[in-house]
Amino acid sequence: MIDQELAIRVRGLDKTYGNTVALQGFNLDVWEGNLVGLLGPSGCGKTTALRAIAGFERPDHGTIDIHGRRIVDETTFVLPEKRNVGMVFQDYALFPHMTVASNVAFGLPGRDDPRVGEVIEMVGLAGLGTRMPHELSGGQQQRVALARALAPGPGVILLDEPFSNLDATLRDRVRREVRSILREAETTAVFVTHDQEEALALSDVVAVMENGTVVQAATPDELYLNPSTRFVAAFVGDADFVPGVATQGKVVTPIGTFETALDGSVSVMIRPESVSLAPTDNGNATIHDREFFGHDQLYVVRLNDGQLLRARTGPTPILDRHQRVQVSVRSAIAYPDEGSGGHPSSGVPGPTRQIEP
Amino acid sequence: MNMIPTDAGSQSLDSATPRANRAPRWLWVTSLMVVAVVVAPLAYIIIEVARQPSWSLIWSGRTAELLFNTTVLVAAVTLTATAIGVGAAWAVTRVTLPMPALWTSVLALPLVIPSYVAALAYLAASGPNGMFAQLWSWPVPRLEGLLGSWLALSLTTYPYVFLVSVIALRRMDPSLEEVARSLGKSPLRGFFLVVVGQLRPAIGASGLLVALYTLSDFGAVSLMRYDTFTKAIYAQWAVRIDRTPALTLAVVLILLAAAILWIEQRTRGRAEYFTNRPSRPPTRTRLGRSATWAVEGALGALVVLALVVPISVLIFWLVRGLANDQTLANVGLAGLRSVTVSGAAALAAAVAAIPVAVLFVRFPSRASRLMERGIWAVYALPHITVGVAILFFTVTLVRPIYQSLLVLIAAYVVLFLPQASGAVETALRQIDPHIEEAGRSLGVGQMGSFLRLTVPLIGRGIASGGALVFLTVMKELPATLLLRPTGYDTLALAIWQQANEGLYTRASSSALVLLAISAVPMFLIATRTIRS
């Protein structure tokens, strides 16, 4: 990745509306050709960040460069139409009084530009150029919006919640199609989503946002396996936390003792798939609930102190409710608790392993 | 519209709602100019009267008498129109009637008859010289005064309540009545608890419309010789050199209109209007044969009284006049004048509506909402008060344009701007706010995006707003009476003058022409509204 060129570079973006802080020290690097997912809960500022890059919001502070060209700083503000940035809106914003071909041609110098047919074919809508937008299905409208944004050959494509208006059965398919269209067009793209599964499945890099800033930007696997904060761990994938106090390299929790470099009050993050259950009469938990999905099943166990913990196993073993089990954890990550009284914690979060039951 | 891209700001975060950016200066300037023209004359007379209030007139027996007469008429008409409108709406939506769609259209038709035309018809039908006496020697007493005004106004205003109630009843989810049944309420009790409760906002809003219409009416009460504020204001203005009494009465009438608006607001509660579409049509009650006959008989009588009688009377007098070789009024010239001023007013209102509508929809702020309230407040006021205000304003401050067509057309814009701006606002609201942003992200500038994307999409709204103003101006009477250049008689004016002088043949011919020009398109608009 080092030899790649930086397509978008955002530094220190701040934006407030009245008393609401939308962006606070927002930084983002997008490498040429990458598909970057901007992931966060609603209200975290992800759409504001996208609109700032597109030129529809002017940040209070900060800089934005696209392909090395300064488009926003304290004295510069390049108008949206001069940025060469394509945008796909959440509601597609197709021009309802124009045909598909006219929509696609809007950003081109002439209506009979060969590029029109080329892009319509690329998104798989060949032959539908004379249709009006309302005569198309939701997935087709989505592709027109994409074709229209791609037609002028923008340096960057921005997509705002691109799949949220599609129903669940269609979403997976359209997602894969959009990804392959963007690959084929060799475009750099940033998309906004609140759906972590969508972000993980689609992106080369996922940037997780919290309260107007990016807390971690990494490849999907890195993000899942090594979340840098408790928030990221909880937001990306399923996670349970068990409390404990770390002293002298050890943290004792209701499910056993883990080794750690931290000191003080900590939370140990456990993913359901790293929990194993062994039926035994003197185990440390009981089966509380079970959902069976076929290819796997999700158990909820109640620890001796009453806390609930999830465990994902294969289709077997079949365990009954109230059955006593021994819980063991294959891998976990310990995070220092912030501002907890009595046991000040220190150190950086890190992977840990169980050393005794 | 992001008119100033360098100054984008927003109220909402991750949402698709229009962003509350700061409006560009030219938009503020043009909108403020339009709103100032609308509001200034009224503000001027209110200040003028408040500066030197003639308490002796305000507390006189004359004012008390006018207040009494006006209140009695407003209350009687509002109650009657509401009862008829809701009853008829219930019949066409909730009872098994043959041809309910036809009934709905026909029952809505009297909407297009101006009150003074209805008054003309009832006057020309009744009394020793009326149609009934001439044709069949029926001794129908002359309908005038309170009774005649009440009849003419009730039968021309009930369609407002009827249409609003039909829409509300159709949009009501029938499941709600079934929920009431499943919770142990009888059908009748369920109807009152659920249906009437839900109709409350619709009845309140349309009742308010009827009350303001009646308060504002000048044509019917003046023809019927019933003494209300509007009639007294005109009489004062016509005979006195001193303008103070007319202005004072106008301000009292404005306060009365404000009081009605206030009462409606206070009693409205927090009920919402129905916006969601029901999953299935409402269930209709199956009536027995005699009950069906009774309902049909009542609806039929209503149609005869409100529609068949007025139109037949007009045609009777026209035919009678033609048979007796009476010279008809110069209907052609009056019609041409009506179309000219209405067309000019429609065009002016449509143009004036564009900046204010863009400002209200795309850049909502406290100031823009205040401006919006200002133009709607003027719209709600009796036309005669607005006419008096504009007349006084031009006489005292801009004398050179006094009695010019310019003032008349400006007055129509003042009176009916919300009809045009409302239509443009609706069109603007229906446009995805991201459309212009999409245009800009494709490299087309803000003006280009506005012209190529927004204008084609709101063109229809602009046209329909203008059409609405055209049709309303066609039948406007009191402001035209006060503000037209001397001798510039439009159709509406000709009808009123000729009816006032008992020239029923001439009045009827003018009225039929007016109905032909304005009523037919109005009816098409109204039926399209109920169908959608």
Side-chain angles (χ1 to χ4, degrees):
Chain A
M1 257 190 219
I2 298 303
D3 55 339
Q4 277 178 308
E5 199 195 331
L6 207 49
I8 305 176
R9 184 175 184 275
V10 184
R11 286 292 176 274
L13 239 47
D14 291 339
K15 177 81 188 173
T16 54
Y17 305 109
N19 294 327
T20 320
V21 177
L23 294 176
Q24 198 171 26
F26 175 90
N27 298 327
L28 185 70
D29 286 334
V30 178
W31 296 92
E32 185 70 47
N34 265 6
L35 180 51
V36 173
L38 212 49
L39 172 69
S42 69
C44 73
K46 54 195 190 298
T47 292
T48 306
L50 200 74
R51 290 173 58 83
I53 298 170
F56 299 124
E57 303 283 352
R58 184 172 192 163
D60 303 332
H61 305 286
T63 63
I64 303 175
D65 302 88
I66 294 182
H67 291 117
R69 172 181 169 221
R70 177 58 51 98
I71 56 166
V72 174
D73 60 24
E74 304 295 323
T75 56
T76 316
F77 186 83
V78 176
L79 295 175
E81 60 266 29
K82 308 278 185 215
R83 291 191 180 188
N84 195 25
V85 168
M87 178 108 177
V88 175
F89 291 86
Q90 182 174 8
D91 51 21
Y92 316 142
L94 297 180
F95 307 139
H97 58 309
M98 295 184 186
T99 61
V100 168
S102 304
N103 263 280
V104 173
F106 192 87
L108 296 170
R111 287 184 56 140
D112 31 51
D113 200 294
R115 180 81 179 142
V116 176
E118 203 177 292
V119 192
I120 290 179
E121 197 175 321
M122 183 175 170
V123 299
L125 292 176
L128 299 184
T130 54
R131 294 275 186 93
M132 297 301 279
H134 67 88
E135 296 168 333
L136 302 176
S137 69
Q140 288 171 328
Q141 291 182 4
Q142 154 81 280
R143 281 184 276 170
V144 176
L146 191 58
R148 184 179 69 182
L150 285 168
V156 172
I157 292 250
L158 307 175
L159 306 97
D160 186 7
E161 300 267 6
F163 310 107
S164 63
N165 277 351
L166 300 170
D167 53 47
T169 49
L170 208 59
R171 205 173 297 155
D172 284 358
R173 207 191 75 211
V174 173
R175 206 192 272 169
R176 277 192 296 275
E177 283 168 3
V178 166
R179 185 180 158 100
S180 68
I181 291 166
L182 290 173
R183 284 267 156 79
E184 194 190 333
E186 294 173 349
T187 320
T188 308
V190 179
F191 74 101
V192 155
T193 182
H194 62 270
D195 180 343
Q196 45 107 355
E197 204 183 300
E198 186 169 294
L200 295 181
L202 209 57
S203 318
D204 298 313
V205 171
V206 179
V208 181
M209 281 187 74
E210 183 190 11
N211 298 333
T213 193
V214 172
V215 284
Q216 187 176 11
T219 58
D221 44 304
E222 171 73 8
L223 200 67
Y224 187 81
L225 297 172
N226 268 318
S228 63
T229 67
R230 252 192 90 134
F231 169 81
V232 175
F235 194 73
V236 179
D238 296 330
D240 288 312
F241 294 89
V242 289
V245 177
T247 43
Q248 296 166 349
K250 284 182 183 173
V251 49
V252 179
T253 75
I255 45 167
T257 305
F258 295 80
E259 59 173 25
T260 180
L262 298 174
D263 206 29
S265 173
V266 301
S267 292
V268 178
M269 188 278 285
I270 298 161
R271 301 253 187 234
E273 66 271 17
S274 60
V275 176
S276 313
L277 303 176
T280 160
D281 285 344
N282 51 6
N284 55 1
T286 55
I287 302 292
H288 177 71
D289 201 0
R290 164 181 171 244
E291 285 177 83
F292 188 77
F293 299 108
H295 48 75
D296 62 0
Q297 52 184 337
L298 187 70
Y299 281 102
V300 180
V301 298
R302 185 188 291 278
L303 304 179
N304 285 340
D305 67 344
Q307 200 196 331
L308 299 176
L309 186 73
R310 286 170 293 180
R312 197 177 286 283
T313 71
T316 54
I318 308 297
L319 303 168
D320 293 330
R321 259 171 72 88
H322 307 305
Q323 160 90 53
R324 269 202 108 51
V325 289
Q326 179 66 35
V327 172
S328 54
V329 175
R330 286 188 292 276
S331 67
I333 298 179
Y335 295 93
D337 287 347
E338 281 161 30
S340 53
H343 302 284
S345 52
S346 62
V348 290
T352 179
R353 65 186 179 89
Q354 195 168 4
I355 48 177
E356 52 193 83
Chain B
M1 220 179 7
N2 283 298
M3 280 303 186
I4 296 187
T6 51
D7 202 2
S10 166
Q11 301 291 316
S12 53
L13 302 185
D14 297 333
S15 79
T17 51
R19 312 239 145 196
N21 298 336
R22 206 171 300 159
R25 187 167 298 156
W26 67 265
L27 191 63
W28 270 114
V29 170
T30 46
S31 304
L32 274 171
M33 270 163 50
V34 170
V35 175
V37 168
V38 173
V39 176
L42 277 147
Y44 184 61
I45 67 156
I46 292 172
I47 292 167
E48 198 64 17
V49 170
R51 235 160 29 113
Q52 300 165 299
S54 57
W55 294 112
S56 58
L57 176 65
I58 293 171
W59 297 119
S60 69
R62 173 76 180 137
T63 306
E65 183 195 349
L66 291 174
L67 191 63
F68 178 78
N69 285 353
T70 307
T71 312
V72 167
L73 183 67
V74 167
V77 170
T78 307
L79 287 175
T80 314
T82 304
I84 296 177
V86 173
W90 174 79
V92 299
T93 55
R94 287 291 199 271
V95 171
T96 49
L97 275 186
M99 294 180 293
L102 183 69
W103 275 116
T104 309
S105 302
V106 172
L107 285 165
L109 256 181
L111 182 74
V112 301
I113 301 177
S115 65
Y116 54 87
V117 171
L120 156 69
Y122 294 127
L123 282 169
S126 62
N129 195 27
M131 180 184 79
F132 291 122
Q134 290 194 30
L135 280 182
W136 301 297
S137 312
W138 290 355
V140 181
R142 191 169 162 79
L143 290 167
E144 55 181 2
L146 174 60
L147 183 70
S149 308
W150 167 75
L151 196 67
L153 286 165
S154 298
L155 292 177
T156 47
T157 53
Y158 85 81
Y160 290 111
V161 184
F162 173 74
L163 285 174
V164 173
S165 305
V166 164
I167 293 170
L169 280 165
R170 279 199 194 151
R171 288 196 185 161
M172 212 173 279
D173 192 342
S175 314
L176 296 174
E177 283 162 76
E178 289 159 11
V179 169
R181 295 290 296 280
S182 76
L183 293 172
K185 307 290 179 211
S186 72
L188 197 66
R189 206 165 143 63
F191 181 82
F192 275 100
L193 284 172
V194 174
V195 177
V196 176
Q198 279 195 89
L199 271 182
R200 169 71 190 84
I203 294 173
S206 53
L208 172 75
L209 211 61
V210 171
L212 287 175
Y213 186 97
T214 308
L215 190 70
S216 159
D217 178 72
F218 166 74
V221 293
S222 60
L223 291 181
M224 291 286 180
R225 313 259 187 266
Y226 183 64
D227 225 6
T228 64
F229 272 108
T230 54
K231 183 165 169 288
I233 290 168
Y234 178 69
Q236 289 286 0
W237 188 275
V239 299
R240 294 274 203 100
I241 294 167
D242 178 15
R243 300 310 196 198
T244 321
L247 292 182
T248 306
L249 290 178
V251 171
V252 174
L253 184 55
I254 290 171
L255 294 177
L256 207 54
I260 292 178
L261 283 165
W262 183 78
I263 290 169
E264 203 274 337
Q265 295 248 312
R266 289 308 298 266
T267 53
R268 182 183 291 164
R270 285 178 315 181
E272 277 290 323
Y273 290 84
F274 328 89
T275 47
N276 47 342
R277 291 200 155 264
S279 47
R280 58 206 160 91
T283 40
R284 290 171 182 271
T285 310
R286 186 166 292 280
L287 291 184
R289 187 183 254 190
S290 52
T292 309
W293 276 98
V295 170
E296 282 188 316
L299 295 182
L302 180 59
V303 170
V304 166
L305 215 56
L307 195 65
V308 178
V309 166
I311 304 291
S312 330
V313 172
L314 298 180
I315 292 172
F316 166 78
W317 280 95
L318 178 65
V319 171
R320 185 179 166 280
L322 289 174
N324 294 350
D325 274 344
Q326 272 193 25
T327 48
L328 296 181
N330 199 343
V331 176
L333 181 61
L336 189 67
R337 285 171 173 161
S338 280
V339 171
T340 309
V341 288
S342 305
L347 201 66
V351 170
I354 296 172
V356 294
V358 171
L359 183 76
F360 295 167
V361 173
R362 292 295 168 83
F363 305 99
S365 65
R366 200 169 294 172
S368 80
R369 271 186 288 273
L370 196 68
M371 289 161 71
E372 195 172 8
R373 216 166 290 168
I375 68 167
W376 278 97
V378 172
Y379 183 64
L381 291 180
H383 295 174
I384 195 136
T385 61
V386 180
V388 164
I390 293 174
L391 194 49
F392 185 64
F393 190 80
T394 46
V395 168
T396 47
L397 294 183
V398 274
R399 186 95 205 188
I401 57 166
Y402 170 64
Q403 278 230 329
S404 67
L405 279 181
L406 181 70
V407 173
L408 185 61
I409 288 162
Y412 291 141
V413 175
V414 169
L415 283 170
F416 304 120
L417 182 63
Q419 288 187 341
S421 65
V424 180
E425 282 174 51
T426 308
L428 273 171
R429 285 215 174 80
Q430 280 167 354
I431 302 181
D432 182 343
H434 290 143
I435 288 263
E436 274 176 49
E437 292 183 352
R440 300 194 65 190
S441 76
L442 293 166
V444 176
Q446 54 174 20
M447 217 45 196
S449 293
F450 181 68
L451 293 176
R452 283 172 67 188
L453 301 174
T454 307
V455 170
L457 290 170
I458 62 170
R460 244 193 197 172
I462 297 172
S464 69
L468 204 56
V469 172
F470 177 86
L471 296 172
T472 318
V473 171
M474 279 294 293
K475 49 182 199 171
E476 205 289 328
L477 179 62
T480 315
L481 183 62
L482 287 173
L483 295 169
R484 86 212 136 107
T486 309
Y488 195 89
D489 290 351
T490 60
L491 276 177
L493 215 65
I495 297 166
W496 181 78
Q497 282 174 338
Q498 290 151 358
N500 228 353
E501 293 163 27
L503 305 170
Y504 294 148
T505 301
R506 291 176 165 206
S508 297
S509 60
S510 305
L512 285 168
V513 173
L514 177 69
L515 287 180
I517 302 178
S518 81
V520 177
M522 202 76 171
F523 175 68
L524 293 178
I525 291 179
T527 47
R528 210 178 47 194
T529 313
I530 34 176
R531 242 179 265 135
S532 59

